[in-house]
Amino acid sequence: MEVWKKMEEFEGVSSEYQKIGSYIRKQDPFRYQKEYGTDFIHYTDENLMDMFICKFGHYKPSVMSVVFGKYRKFYQWCVNRHEIAWNPFENSKYLSYEYLVRMAAANGNVPYYSRDYVVKLCEEQTGCPEYYKAIALSLFEGVKSYAQLARLKWTDVDRERRRLVLKECELKISEELFDSYEKLHRDTYFQAREARLAFDLQSEALILPLVRHGQEHSLCERNYRYLSNAISRRMTALGLSASGLYESGLMHRLVETFGKEAIFTYLLPENPLSKKEINQKNRELETFFKENGSFISAKDFAFDFKGYGLLLKYGGGKEK
């Protein structure tokens, strides 16, 4: 196939281009050639917009920026080789971040969960709802990822002060989450459909790992990646993502602290803010982020969370 030959030539230019080519191949944009009526090299900016938003489900500009950087280099190489007349990423309305974020929000890509939705979904799991709630609410209330959660121990919970003690900060946790931790550590088994799996009660982990059939202990002792992957698989089966849980919880606390209108003014300003107003809002937000264990900058928040602002204002996603 001609496209594959061009990809091989591109990858042969340098080790950097080889990595870019490998990345593009793994995403397999070639599968849409029949639908778009042209080969990958000749995809238009509209084709690429549809692929990134409707097919790949992107919604965060920071992620798009990294992905686009790889594709842009490939298409520029094609331009330099006179394979195509123009780079579809140059001066494109359809591939501008403003347009893409709005399309992503309209397409339902932004994983914005309400707390009620998360709790209800977890409580519907008959095997051990506390297991699911302990994971989901941990991220909703400020733990950044499954990898970070997998490293936490039961002793990291300050029971008297209802705090979760992390290396960089302390998170104030709800009674509901605290109760889920306690119930989880009182349970002895996890019902997985027809199979009953034992919790590893010898483990110090906050989220107790499961013991495989025929084994005395889990494989998670000091193997944080194994536990993180196991947690991820369980939550993915529920349709919940780690980033969606964490970001939804962050937005929930922002609205609770500042109010919806203030968030709209920052993320979706109808009128340009003055430099003084921007600086003031940036200081307020960065103080909030630091207190909540998030080290995102106000500038990055304004860039990356517009999709959440759109859902807050116009509805959609899981938030009702």
Side-chain angles (χ1 to χ4, degrees):
M1 183 187 294
E2 187 68 18
V3 172
W4 288 106
K5 183 179 178 182
K6 297 301 179 187
M7 287 297 298
E8 289 173 356
E9 292 176 7
F10 172 76
E11 291 169 359
V13 172
S14 66
S15 59
E16 178 194 3
Y17 281 18
Q18 194 279 326
K19 290 177 182 177
I20 292 173
S22 176
Y23 176 87
I24 291 174
R25 286 177 187 270
K26 286 180 181 177
Q27 288 204 317
D28 192 15
F30 322 106
R31 59 189 137 153
Y32 307 115
Q33 292 181 140
K34 184 176 181 181
E35 179 181 342
Y36 295 151
T38 187
D39 61 54
F40 170 62
I41 292 174
H42 293 91
Y43 280 3
T44 66
D45 53 348
E46 288 187 74
N47 294 149
L48 290 166
M49 179 275 292
D50 179 81
M51 183 177 76
F52 292 130
I53 300 302
C54 298
K55 305 296 195 293
F56 294 168
H58 291 311
Y59 69 95
K60 295 185 74 172
S62 61
V63 175
M64 294 180 198
S65 178
V66 173
V67 175
F68 290 5
K70 300 179 189 299
Y71 279 79
R72 183 182 285 109
K73 286 188 177 180
F74 170 75
Y75 281 106
Q76 189 56 49
W77 177 83
C78 291
V79 170
N80 296 341
R81 291 272 302 236
H82 304 291
E83 302 289 345
I84 55 178
W86 59 287
N87 188 329
F89 286 91
E90 299 302 323
N91 303 314
S92 169
K93 173 184 84 172
Y94 299 106
L95 293 175
S96 68
Y97 293 125
E98 190 73 27
Y99 187 88
L100 288 165
V101 168
R102 291 185 179 277
M103 290 298 294
N107 196 55
N109 294 8
V110 184
Y112 193 15
Y113 316 127
S114 71
R115 185 185 182 93
D116 287 345
Y117 173 84
V118 171
V119 170
K120 184 174 182 293
L121 186 61
C122 292
E123 289 180 343
E124 288 173 350
Q125 309 310 308
T126 56
C128 184
E130 291 77 21
Y131 173 82
Y132 292 103
K133 282 178 68 176
I135 296 170
L137 290 181
S138 290
L139 270 71
F140 198 89
E141 296 189 14
V143 177
K144 296 183 184 67
S145 65
Y146 296 140
Q148 184 182 36
L149 182 60
R151 289 180 173 273
L152 295 178
K153 298 180 179 180
W154 181 221
T155 52
D156 290 325
V157 178
D158 185 329
R159 304 184 196 184
E160 295 298 322
R161 298 166 57 235
R162 298 298 194 264
R163 301 267 176 171
L164 188 56
V165 182
L166 310 180
K167 285 185 178 180
E168 63 274 19
C169 69
E170 292 184 0
L171 298 177
K172 183 178 179 180
I173 60 176
S174 65
E175 284 294 326
E176 187 172 27
L177 177 53
F178 179 77
D179 289 345
S180 295
Y181 289 152
E182 287 212 312
K183 289 176 183 176
L184 176 61
H185 280 261
R186 287 199 299 266
D187 285 338
T188 57
Y189 67 88
F190 176 93
Q191 190 72 40
R193 294 183 182 178
E194 301 301 320
R196 176 177 288 190
L197 304 177
F199 283 119
D200 188 350
L201 301 179
Q202 302 302 312
S203 172
E204 297 180 350
L206 175 59
I207 304 301
L208 288 171
L210 301 172
V211 179
R212 285 186 175 183
H213 297 293
Q215 296 180 341
E216 293 185 7
H217 301 290
S218 74
L219 301 178
C220 300
E221 189 65 30
R222 300 175 188 248
N223 189 342
Y224 304 114
R225 180 176 293 182
Y226 186 93
L227 179 55
S228 175
N229 290 341
I231 290 171
S232 178
R233 286 193 299 271
R234 297 283 179 191
M235 302 309 287
T236 299
L238 298 190
L240 296 173
S241 70
S243 59
L245 287 165
Y246 176 74
E247 291 164 9
S248 296
L250 186 62
M251 286 299 299
H252 173 79
R253 293 191 295 281
L254 278 164
V255 170
E256 197 174 58
T257 302
F258 298 104
K260 279 189 178 184
E261 289 303 320
I263 301 302
F264 295 156
T265 302
Y266 193 83
L267 292 178
L268 309 169
E270 295 182 0
N271 300 302
L273 300 176
S274 68
K275 186 175 181 180
K276 182 178 180 181
E277 288 174 317
I278 291 173
N279 289 338
Q280 176 62 28
K281 287 184 178 294
N282 285 350
R283 285 194 294 270
E284 291 174 354
L285 284 170
E286 290 184 352
T287 297
F288 168 86
F289 291 141
K290 185 176 181 181
E291 289 174 350
N292 283 265
S294 175
F295 295 95
I296 183 173
S297 70
K299 183 178 179 181
D300 288 344
F301 172 72
F303 180 62
D304 238 11
F305 279 70
K306 281 195 187 307
Y308 287 96
L310 289 167
L311 291 189
L312 262 178
K313 191 163 188 175
Y314 302 110
K318 296 294 191 304
E319 185 75 39
K320 302 299 183 183

